[in-house]
Coordinates of all heavy atoms in Angstrom, one line a residue:
M1 N 6.6 -3.6 14.6 CA 7.6 -4.0 13.8 C 8.1 -2.8 13.0 O 7.4 -1.8 12.8 CB 7.2 -5.2 12.9 CG 7.0 -6.4 13.6 SD 6.2 -7.7 12.7 CE 4.6 -7.0 12.6
R2 N 9.3 -2.9 12.4 CA 9.9 -1.8 11.8 C 10.2 -2.2 10.3 O 10.7 -3.4 10.1 CB 11.2 -1.5 12.5 CG 11.6 -0.1 12.4 CD 10.9 0.8 13.3 NE 11.2 2.2 13.0 CZ 10.3 3.2 12.9 NH1 9.0 2.8 13.1 NH2 10.7 4.4 12.5
A3 N 9.8 -1.4 9.4 CA 10.3 -1.8 8.0 C 11.3 -0.6 7.6 O 11.2 0.6 8.0 CB 9.0 -1.6 7.1
T4 N 12.3 -1.0 6.9 CA 13.4 -0.2 6.4 C 13.6 -0.2 5.0 O 13.4 -1.2 4.4 CB 14.7 -0.5 7.1 OG1 14.6 -0.7 8.5 CG2 15.9 0.5 6.8
L5 N 13.8 1.0 4.4 CA 14.0 1.0 2.9 C 15.5 1.0 2.8 O 16.1 2.0 3.1 CB 13.4 2.3 2.3 CG 11.9 2.2 2.3 CD1 11.2 3.5 1.9 CD2 11.4 1.1 1.3
A6 N 16.0 0.0 2.2 CA 17.4 -0.2 2.0 C 18.2 1.0 1.5 O 19.2 1.5 2.0 CB 17.8 -1.5 1.3
S7 N 17.8 1.4 0.4 CA 18.6 2.4 -0.4 C 18.4 3.8 0.3 O 19.5 4.6 0.3 CB 18.1 2.6 -1.9 OG 17.2 1.6 -2.3
Q8 N 17.3 4.2 0.9 CA 17.1 5.4 1.5 C 17.5 5.5 3.0 O 17.7 6.5 3.5 CB 15.8 5.9 1.2 CG 15.4 6.1 -0.2 CD 14.9 4.9 -0.8 OE1 14.9 3.8 -0.2 NE2 14.3 5.0 -2.1
G9 N 17.4 4.4 3.6 CA 17.6 4.4 5.1 C 16.4 4.8 5.8 O 16.4 5.0 7.0
W10 N 15.2 5.1 5.1 CA 14.0 5.6 5.8 C 13.4 4.3 6.5 O 13.5 3.1 5.9 CB 13.1 6.2 4.8 CG 13.5 7.3 4.0 CD1 14.6 8.2 4.4 CD2 13.2 7.7 2.7 NE1 14.7 9.1 3.4 CE2 13.9 8.8 2.4 CE3 12.2 7.2 1.8 CZ2 13.8 9.5 1.2 CZ3 12.1 7.8 0.6 CH2 12.9 8.9 0.3
T11 N 12.6 4.6 7.6 CA 11.9 3.5 8.3 C 10.4 3.9 8.5 O 10.3 5.1 8.5 CB 12.5 3.2 9.6 OG1 12.4 4.3 10.4 CG2 14.0 2.8 9.4
F12 N 9.6 2.9 8.7 CA 8.3 3.2 9.1 C 7.8 2.1 9.8 O 8.4 0.9 9.8 CB 7.3 3.4 7.9 CG 7.3 2.3 6.7 CD1 6.4 1.3 6.9 CD2 8.2 2.4 5.8 CE1 6.3 0.3 5.9 CE2 8.2 1.2 4.8 CZ 7.2 0.3 4.8
D13 N 6.7 2.3 10.6 CA 6.1 1.2 11.5 C 5.3 0.3 10.6 O 4.5 0.7 9.7 CB 5.1 1.8 12.4 CG 5.9 2.5 13.6 OD1 7.0 2.0 14.0 OD2 5.4 3.6 14.0
A14 N 5.3 -1.0 10.7 CA 4.7 -2.0 10.1 C 3.9 -3.0 11.2 O 4.7 -3.5 12.0 CB 5.4 -2.8 9.2
D15 N 2.6 -2.9 11.1 CA 2.0 -3.9 12.0 C 1.6 -5.2 11.2 O 1.7 -5.2 10.0 CB 0.7 -3.3 12.7 CG -0.3 -2.8 11.8 OD1 -0.7 -3.7 10.9 OD2 -0.7 -1.6 11.8
G16 N 1.1 -6.1 11.9 CA 0.8 -7.4 11.3 C -0.5 -7.4 10.5 O -0.9 -8.4 10.0
A17 N -1.1 -6.3 10.3 CA -2.5 -6.4 9.8 C -2.6 -5.2 8.6 O -3.4 -5.5 7.7 CB -3.5 -6.0 10.8
T18 N -1.6 -4.4 8.5 CA -1.6 -3.4 7.5 C -0.7 -3.6 6.3 O 0.5 -3.9 6.6 CB -1.3 -2.0 8.1 OG1 -2.1 -1.8 9.2 CG2 -1.5 -0.7 7.1
A19 N -1.2 -3.6 5.1 CA -0.3 -3.8 4.0 C 0.9 -2.9 4.0 O 0.8 -1.8 4.4 CB -1.0 -3.7 2.7
L20 N 2.1 -3.5 3.7 CA 3.2 -2.6 3.8 C 3.1 -1.4 3.0 O 3.6 -0.3 3.3 CB 4.5 -3.4 3.2 CG 4.9 -4.4 4.2 CD1 5.8 -5.5 3.6 CD2 5.6 -3.8 5.3
L21 N 2.5 -1.3 1.8 CA 2.2 -0.1 0.9 C 1.5 0.9 1.9 O 2.0 2.0 1.9 CB 1.5 -0.5 -0.3 CG 1.3 0.6 -1.3 CD1 2.6 0.7 -2.1 CD2 0.1 0.3 -2.2
K22 N 0.6 0.5 2.5 CA -0.3 1.4 3.2 C 0.4 1.9 4.5 O 0.4 3.1 4.9 CB -1.6 0.8 3.6 CG -2.6 1.7 4.2 CD -4.0 1.2 4.0 CE -5.0 2.1 4.7 NZ -5.9 1.4 5.5
A23 N 1.1 0.9 5.1 CA 1.9 1.3 6.4 C 3.0 2.3 5.9 O 3.3 3.3 6.8 CB 2.5 0.0 6.9
A24 N 3.5 2.1 4.8 CA 4.6 3.1 4.4 C 3.9 4.5 4.3 O 4.5 5.5 4.7 CB 5.2 2.7 3.1
E25 N 2.7 4.6 3.6 CA 2.1 5.8 3.4 C 1.8 6.5 4.7 O 1.9 7.7 5.0 CB 0.8 5.7 2.6 CG 1.2 5.7 1.2 CD -0.1 5.2 0.3 OE1 -1.1 5.1 0.9 OE2 0.1 5.1 -0.9
Q26 N 1.4 5.6 5.7 CA 1.1 6.2 7.0 C 2.4 6.8 7.7 O 2.4 7.6 8.6 CB 0.5 5.1 8.0 CG -1.0 4.8 7.4 CD -1.6 3.6 8.1 OE1 -0.9 2.8 8.8 NE2 -2.9 3.3 7.9
G27 N 3.4 6.2 7.2 CA 4.7 6.7 7.8 C 5.4 7.8 7.0 O 6.5 8.0 7.0
G28 N 4.5 8.2 5.9 CA 5.1 9.4 5.1 C 5.9 9.0 3.9 O 6.8 9.7 3.4
I29 N 5.8 7.8 3.6 CA 6.7 7.2 2.4 C 5.7 6.7 1.3 O 4.8 5.9 1.6 CB 7.6 6.2 2.8 CG1 8.6 6.8 3.9 CG2 8.4 5.6 1.7 CD1 9.3 5.8 4.7
R30 N 5.9 7.1 0.1 CA 5.1 6.6 -1.0 C 5.9 5.6 -1.9 O 7.0 5.9 -2.4 CB 4.6 7.7 -1.9 CG 3.7 7.2 -3.1 CD 2.9 8.3 -3.8 NE 1.8 8.6 -2.7 CZ 1.5 9.9 -2.5 NH1 2.0 10.8 -3.2 NH2 0.6 10.3 -1.5
L31 N 5.4 4.4 -1.9 CA 6.0 3.4 -2.8 C 5.2 3.4 -4.1 O 4.0 3.6 -4.0 CB 6.0 2.1 -2.1 CG 6.5 1.9 -0.6 CD1 6.4 0.5 -0.1 CD2 7.9 2.3 -0.6
P32 N 5.9 3.0 -5.2 CA 5.1 2.9 -6.4 C 3.9 1.9 -6.4 O 4.2 0.9 -5.7 CB 6.2 2.4 -7.4 CG 7.4 2.5 -6.8 CD 7.3 2.5 -5.3
S33 N 2.8 2.4 -6.9 CA 1.7 1.4 -6.9 C 0.7 1.8 -7.9 O 0.7 3.0 -8.4 CB 1.0 1.5 -5.6 OG 0.3 2.8 -5.3
S34 N -0.2 0.9 -8.2 CA -1.4 1.3 -9.0 C -2.6 0.5 -8.6 O -3.5 1.2 -8.0 CB -1.0 0.9 -10.5 OG -2.0 1.1 -11.3
C35 N -2.7 -0.8 -8.8 CA -4.0 -1.5 -8.5 C -4.3 -1.6 -7.0 O -5.4 -1.6 -6.6 CB -3.9 -2.9 -9.1 SG -2.9 -4.1 -8.4
R36 N -3.2 -1.9 -6.2 CA -3.3 -2.0 -4.8 C -4.1 -3.4 -4.5 O -4.5 -3.5 -3.3 CB -3.9 -0.9 -4.1 CG -3.1 0.3 -4.2 CD -3.7 1.6 -3.6 NE -2.7 2.6 -3.7 CZ -2.2 3.2 -2.7 NH1 -2.6 2.9 -1.4 NH2 -1.3 4.1 -2.8
N37 N -4.2 -4.3 -5.4 CA -4.9 -5.5 -5.0 C -4.1 -6.7 -5.5 O -4.6 -7.8 -5.6 CB -6.3 -5.6 -5.6 CG -6.4 -5.4 -7.0 OD1 -5.4 -5.9 -7.7 ND2 -7.5 -5.1 -7.6
G38 N -2.7 -6.6 -5.8 CA -1.8 -7.7 -6.1 C -1.9 -8.2 -7.5 O -1.5 -9.4 -7.7
T39 N -2.4 -7.4 -8.4 CA -2.4 -8.0 -9.8 C -1.6 -7.2 -10.7 O -1.0 -7.8 -11.6 CB -3.8 -8.0 -10.3 OG1 -4.4 -6.7 -10.2 CG2 -4.7 -9.0 -9.7
C40 N -1.4 -5.8 -10.7 CA -0.7 -5.1 -11.7 C 0.8 -5.2 -11.6 O 1.5 -5.1 -12.6 CB -1.1 -3.7 -11.7 SG -0.3 -2.8 -10.3
R41 N 1.3 -5.5 -10.4 CA 2.8 -5.6 -10.2 C 3.7 -4.4 -10.3 O 4.8 -4.5 -10.3 CB 3.4 -6.7 -11.1 CG 2.7 -8.1 -11.0 CD 2.9 -9.0 -12.2 NE 4.3 -9.1 -12.6 CZ 5.2 -9.9 -12.1 NH1 5.0 -10.8 -11.3 NH2 6.5 -9.8 -12.5
T42 N 3.0 -3.3 -10.2 CA 3.6 -2.0 -10.2 C 4.5 -1.8 -9.0 O 5.6 -1.3 -9.0 CB 2.6 -0.8 -10.3 OG1 1.8 -1.0 -11.3 CG2 3.3 0.5 -10.2
C43 N 4.0 -2.4 -7.9 CA 4.7 -2.3 -6.6 C 5.8 -3.3 -6.4 O 6.5 -3.3 -5.4 CB 3.8 -2.3 -5.5 SG 2.9 -3.9 -5.3
L44 N 5.9 -4.3 -7.3 CA 7.0 -5.4 -7.1 C 8.2 -4.9 -6.6 O 8.9 -4.0 -7.2 CB 7.1 -6.1 -8.5 CG 7.8 -7.4 -8.3 CD1 7.0 -8.5 -7.7 CD2 8.3 -7.9 -9.8
C45 N 8.8 -5.5 -5.5 CA 10.0 -5.0 -5.0 C 10.7 -6.2 -4.2 O 10.2 -7.2 -4.1 CB 9.9 -3.8 -4.1 SG 9.1 -4.1 -2.5
K46 N 11.9 -5.9 -3.9 CA 12.7 -7.0 -3.2 C 12.7 -6.8 -1.7 O 12.9 -5.8 -1.1 CB 14.2 -6.9 -3.8 CG 15.1 -7.9 -3.1 CD 15.7 -8.8 -4.2 CE 16.5 -9.9 -3.6 NZ 17.9 -9.7 -3.5
L47 N 12.3 -8.0 -1.1 CA 12.5 -8.1 0.3 C 13.8 -8.5 0.6 O 14.4 -9.6 0.3 CB 11.5 -9.2 0.8 CG 11.4 -9.4 2.3 CD1 10.8 -8.3 3.1 CD2 10.5 -10.7 2.6
E48 N 14.7 -7.6 1.2 CA 16.1 -8.0 1.5 C 16.2 -8.8 2.7 O 17.1 -9.7 2.8 CB 16.9 -6.7 1.7 CG 16.9 -5.7 0.5 CD 17.9 -6.1 -0.6 OE1 18.5 -7.1 -0.5 OE2 17.9 -5.5 -1.7
S49 N 15.4 -8.6 3.7 CA 15.4 -9.3 4.9 C 14.1 -9.3 5.6 O 13.4 -8.4 5.4 CB 16.6 -9.0 5.8 OG 16.3 -7.9 6.4
G50 N 13.8 -10.3 6.4 CA 12.6 -10.4 7.2 C 11.6 -11.3 6.5 O 11.8 -12.0 5.5
A51 N 10.4 -11.4 7.1 CA 9.4 -12.3 6.6 C 8.0 -11.5 6.4 O 7.8 -10.7 7.2 CB 9.2 -13.4 7.5
I52 N 7.3 -12.0 5.3 CA 6.0 -11.3 5.2 C 5.0 -12.5 5.0 O 5.4 -13.6 4.7 CB 5.9 -10.4 3.9 CG1 6.4 -11.2 2.7 CG2 6.9 -9.2 4.1 CD1 5.4 -11.4 1.7
R53 N 3.7 -12.0 5.0 CA 2.7 -12.9 4.6 C 1.8 -12.3 3.7 O 1.7 -10.9 3.9 CB 2.0 -13.7 5.7 CG 0.9 -12.9 6.5 CD 0.4 -13.6 7.6 NE -0.2 -12.5 8.4 CZ -1.4 -12.0 8.2 NH1 -2.1 -12.4 7.2 NH2 -1.9 -11.1 8.9
Y54 N 1.0 -12.9 2.8 CA 0.1 -12.2 1.9 C -1.3 -12.2 2.5 O -1.8 -13.1 3.1 CB 0.2 -12.9 0.6 CG 1.4 -12.5 -0.3 CD1 2.4 -13.4 -0.5 CD2 1.5 -11.2 -0.7 CE1 3.5 -12.9 -1.1 CE2 2.5 -10.8 -1.5 CZ 3.6 -11.7 -1.7 OH 4.7 -11.3 -2.3
L55 N -2.0 -11.1 2.2 CA -3.4 -10.9 2.6 C -4.4 -11.5 1.6 O -5.6 -11.6 1.9 CB -3.7 -9.3 2.7 CG -2.9 -8.6 3.8 CD1 -3.1 -7.1 3.5 CD2 -3.4 -9.0 5.1
I56 N -3.8 -11.9 0.4 CA -4.8 -12.5 -0.6 C -4.1 -13.9 -0.9 O -3.0 -14.1 -0.7 CB -4.8 -11.6 -1.8 CG1 -3.5 -11.4 -2.5 CG2 -5.5 -10.4 -1.5 CD1 -3.5 -10.8 -3.9
E57 N -4.9 -14.7 -1.6 CA -4.5 -16.1 -1.7 C -3.5 -16.2 -2.8 O -2.6 -17.0 -2.8 CB -5.7 -17.0 -2.0 CG -5.5 -18.3 -1.6 CD -6.8 -19.3 -1.5 OE1 -7.8 -18.6 -1.3 OE2 -6.7 -20.5 -1.6
W58 N -3.8 -15.5 -4.0 CA -2.9 -15.7 -5.2 C -2.3 -14.3 -5.6 O -2.7 -13.8 -6.7 CB -3.7 -16.2 -6.4 CG -4.5 -17.5 -6.0 CD1 -5.7 -17.7 -5.9 CD2 -3.9 -18.7 -5.9 NE1 -6.0 -19.0 -5.5 CE2 -4.8 -19.8 -5.6 CE3 -2.5 -19.2 -6.1 CZ2 -4.5 -21.0 -5.5 CZ3 -2.2 -20.5 -6.0 CH2 -3.2 -21.4 -5.6
P59 N -1.2 -13.9 -4.8 CA -0.6 -12.6 -5.2 C 0.1 -12.9 -6.6 O 0.6 -14.1 -6.8 CB 0.4 -12.4 -4.1 CG 0.5 -13.6 -3.5 CD -0.7 -14.4 -3.7
G60 N 0.2 -11.9 -7.5 CA 0.8 -12.1 -8.8 C 2.4 -12.1 -8.9 O 3.0 -11.5 -9.6
V61 N 2.9 -13.0 -8.1 CA 4.3 -13.3 -8.1 C 4.6 -14.9 -8.5 O 3.9 -15.6 -7.9 CB 5.1 -13.0 -6.9 CG1 5.5 -11.5 -6.9 CG2 4.3 -13.3 -5.7
S62 N 5.6 -15.1 -9.4 CA 5.8 -16.5 -9.8 C 6.7 -17.2 -8.7 O 7.2 -16.4 -7.8 CB 6.5 -16.5 -11.1 OG 7.7 -15.9 -10.9
R63 N 6.7 -18.4 -8.7 CA 7.6 -19.1 -7.8 C 9.0 -18.6 -7.8 O 9.7 -18.4 -6.8 CB 7.5 -20.6 -8.1 CG 7.9 -21.6 -7.0 CD 7.2 -22.8 -6.9 NE 7.1 -23.4 -8.3 CZ 8.0 -24.2 -8.9 NH1 9.0 -24.6 -8.2 NH2 7.7 -24.7 -10.1
E64 N 9.5 -18.4 -9.1 CA 10.9 -18.0 -9.2 C 11.2 -16.7 -8.7 O 12.1 -16.4 -8.0 CB 11.2 -17.9 -10.7 CG 11.3 -19.3 -11.5 CD 9.9 -19.8 -11.7 OE1 8.9 -19.2 -11.7 OE2 9.8 -21.1 -12.0
E65 N 10.1 -15.8 -8.8 CA 10.2 -14.5 -8.2 C 10.2 -14.5 -6.7 O 11.0 -13.8 -6.0 CB 9.2 -13.5 -8.8 CG 9.3 -13.1 -10.2 CD 8.1 -12.4 -10.8 OE1 7.0 -12.7 -10.3 OE2 8.2 -11.7 -11.7
K66 N 9.4 -15.4 -6.2 CA 9.3 -15.6 -4.8 C 10.6 -16.0 -4.2 O 11.2 -15.5 -3.2 CB 8.3 -16.5 -4.3 CG 6.9 -16.0 -4.3 CD 5.9 -17.0 -3.7 CE 4.5 -16.4 -3.8 NZ 3.5 -17.5 -3.7
Q67 N 11.3 -16.9 -5.0 CA 12.7 -17.4 -4.5 C 13.7 -16.3 -4.6 O 14.6 -16.3 -3.8 CB 13.0 -18.5 -5.4 CG 12.4 -19.9 -4.9 CD 12.6 -20.9 -6.0 OE1 13.1 -20.8 -7.1 NE2 12.1 -22.2 -5.6
E68 N 13.5 -15.4 -5.5 CA 14.5 -14.2 -5.6 C 14.1 -13.2 -4.5 O 14.8 -12.2 -4.3 CB 14.3 -13.5 -7.0 CG 15.0 -14.3 -8.1 CD 14.6 -13.6 -9.4 OE1 14.6 -12.4 -9.5 OE2 14.4 -14.3 -10.4
G69 N 13.0 -13.5 -3.8 CA 12.8 -12.5 -2.7 C 11.9 -11.2 -3.2 O 11.7 -10.3 -2.4
L70 N 11.3 -11.4 -4.4 CA 10.4 -10.3 -4.8 C 9.0 -10.4 -4.2 O 8.6 -11.7 -4.1 CB 10.2 -10.4 -6.3 CG 11.6 -10.1 -7.0 CD1 11.5 -10.4 -8.5 CD2 12.0 -8.6 -6.8
I71 N 8.5 -9.3 -3.7 CA 7.2 -9.4 -3.1 C 6.3 -8.2 -3.6 O 6.7 -7.3 -4.3 CB 7.3 -9.1 -1.5 CG1 7.8 -7.8 -1.2 CG2 8.2 -10.2 -0.9 CD1 7.6 -7.3 0.2
L72 N 5.0 -8.3 -3.3 CA 4.1 -7.3 -3.7 C 3.6 -6.6 -2.5 O 2.7 -7.1 -1.7 CB 2.8 -7.8 -4.4 CG 3.1 -8.4 -5.8 CD1 1.9 -9.2 -6.4 CD2 3.6 -7.4 -6.7
P73 N 4.2 -5.4 -2.1 CA 3.8 -4.7 -0.8 C 2.5 -4.3 -0.6 O 2.0 -4.0 0.5 CB 4.9 -3.7 -0.6 CG 5.2 -3.4 -2.1 CD 5.2 -4.6 -2.8
C74 N 1.7 -4.2 -1.8 CA 0.3 -3.7 -1.6 C -0.6 -4.8 -0.9 O -1.7 -4.5 -0.5 CB -0.3 -3.3 -3.0 SG -0.6 -4.6 -4.1
V75 N -0.2 -6.0 -1.0 CA -1.0 -7.1 -0.4 C -0.1 -8.0 0.5 O -0.6 -9.0 0.9 CB -1.6 -8.0 -1.5 CG1 -2.7 -7.3 -2.2 CG2 -0.6 -8.5 -2.5
A76 N 1.0 -7.4 1.0 CA 1.9 -8.1 2.0 C 1.9 -7.4 3.3 O 2.0 -6.1 3.3 CB 3.2 -8.3 1.4
V77 N 1.9 -8.1 4.4 CA 2.1 -7.5 5.7 C 3.4 -8.1 6.3 O 3.7 -9.2 5.9 CB 0.9 -7.7 6.7 CG1 -0.4 -7.2 6.2 CG2 0.7 -9.3 6.9
A78 N 4.0 -7.3 7.2 CA 5.3 -7.8 7.7 C 4.9 -8.8 8.8 O 4.0 -8.7 9.5 CB 6.0 -6.6 8.4
E79 N 5.8 -9.8 8.9 CA 5.7 -10.8 10.1 C 6.8 -10.6 11.1 O 6.8 -11.1 12.2 CB 5.6 -12.2 9.6 CG 4.4 -12.6 8.8 CD 4.1 -14.0 8.9 OE1 5.0 -14.8 8.5 OE2 3.1 -14.4 9.5
T80 N 7.9 -9.9 10.6 CA 9.0 -9.7 11.3 C 9.5 -8.2 10.9 O 8.9 -7.6 10.0 CB 10.2 -10.5 11.1 OG1 10.5 -10.3 9.7 CG2 9.8 -12.0 11.3
D81 N 10.4 -7.7 11.5 CA 11.1 -6.4 10.9 C 11.5 -6.8 9.5 O 12.0 -7.9 9.3 CB 12.4 -6.0 11.7 CG 12.0 -5.3 13.1 OD1 10.9 -5.2 13.3 OD2 12.9 -5.1 13.8
V82 N 11.4 -5.9 8.6 CA 11.7 -6.1 7.2 C 12.6 -5.1 6.6 O 12.5 -4.0 7.1 CB 10.4 -6.3 6.4 CG1 9.5 -7.5 6.7 CG2 9.6 -5.1 6.4
V83 N 13.3 -5.4 5.7 CA 14.1 -4.5 4.9 C 13.7 -4.7 3.4 O 13.7 -5.7 2.9 CB 15.6 -4.7 5.0 CG1 16.4 -3.7 4.2 CG2 16.0 -4.6 6.5
L84 N 13.3 -3.5 2.8 CA 12.8 -3.6 1.5 C 13.8 -2.8 0.5 O 14.2 -1.7 0.9 CB 11.4 -2.9 1.3 CG 10.3 -3.5 2.1 CD1 9.0 -2.6 2.0 CD2 10.0 -4.9 1.7
N85 N 13.8 -3.2 -0.7 CA 14.7 -2.4 -1.7 C 13.7 -1.8 -2.7 O 13.3 -2.4 -3.5 CB 15.8 -3.3 -2.3 CG 16.7 -2.5 -3.1 OD1 16.5 -1.3 -3.3 ND2 17.7 -3.1 -3.7
V86 N 13.5 -0.5 -2.5 CA 12.5 0.3 -3.4 C 13.2 1.6 -3.7 O 13.0 2.6 -3.2 CB 11.2 0.6 -2.7 CG1 10.2 1.1 -3.8 CG2 10.6 -0.7 -2.0
P87 N 14.0 1.5 -4.8 CA 14.8 2.8 -5.2 C 13.8 3.9 -5.5 O 14.3 5.1 -5.4 CB 15.6 2.3 -6.4 CG 15.8 0.9 -6.3 CD 14.4 0.3 -5.6
A88 N 12.5 3.6 -6.0 CA 11.7 4.7 -6.5 C 10.8 5.1 -5.4 O 9.9 6.0 -5.6 CB 10.8 4.2 -7.6
A89 N 11.0 4.8 -4.1 CA 10.2 5.3 -3.0 C 10.4 6.8 -2.9 O 11.6 7.4 -3.2 CB 10.6 4.6 -1.7
R90 N 9.4 7.5 -2.5 CA 9.4 9.0 -2.4 C 8.9 9.4 -1.0 O 8.0 8.7 -0.5 CB 8.6 9.7 -3.3 CG 9.1 9.6 -4.7 CD 10.2 10.4 -5.1 NE 10.8 10.2 -6.4 CZ 11.9 9.4 -6.6 NH1 12.5 8.7 -5.6 NH2 12.4 9.2 -7.8
Q91 N 9.4 10.3 -0.4 CA 8.8 10.9 0.8 C 7.6 11.8 0.5 O 7.7 12.6 -0.5 CB 9.8 11.7 1.6 CG 10.7 10.8 2.6 CD 11.7 11.5 3.3 OE1 12.4 12.4 2.8 NE2 11.9 11.1 4.6
I92 N 6.6 11.6 1.2 CA 5.3 12.3 0.9 C 5.4 13.7 1.6 O 5.7 13.8 2.7 CB 4.1 11.6 1.4 CG1 3.9 10.2 0.8 CG2 2.9 12.5 1.3 CD1 3.0 9.4 1.5
S93 N 5.4 14.8 0.8 CA 5.5 16.1 1.4 C 4.3 16.5 2.1 O 3.1 16.2 1.6 CB 6.0 17.1 0.3 OG 5.1 17.0 -0.8
R94 N 4.3 17.1 3.2 CA 3.0 17.4 4.0 C 2.9 18.9 4.0 O 3.8 19.6 4.0 CB 3.2 16.9 5.3 CG 3.1 15.4 5.4 CD 3.4 14.8 6.7 NE 3.7 13.3 6.6 CZ 2.9 12.4 7.0 NH1 1.7 12.7 7.4 NH2 3.2 11.2 6.8
Ligands
LIG1 S1 0.0 -2.1 -6.7 FE1 -0.7 -3.5 -8.1 S2 0.3 -5.3 -7.6 FE2 0.8 -3.9 -6.0

């Protein structure tokens, strides 16, 4: 599956087992993050399209936020191609 960053147009591969945050890093893109376990909400971002599922039972997003399409990519995996809105994403220099 393919993940796309809406503002930058960058894409990376997303499989159904790797958290989007990690999949992005493997694709050379760093998304904002801190705890990486779904509690701090540093990585909170908008899922513009596509579907995800969570790797943990209680990700730190409220029902309202879920309805707005907000997700925590550190604990979410793609179920379809996804488009994320993460203005603060950076390319990792190698
Ligand atoms: S990095 Fe802390 S919730 Fe995602």
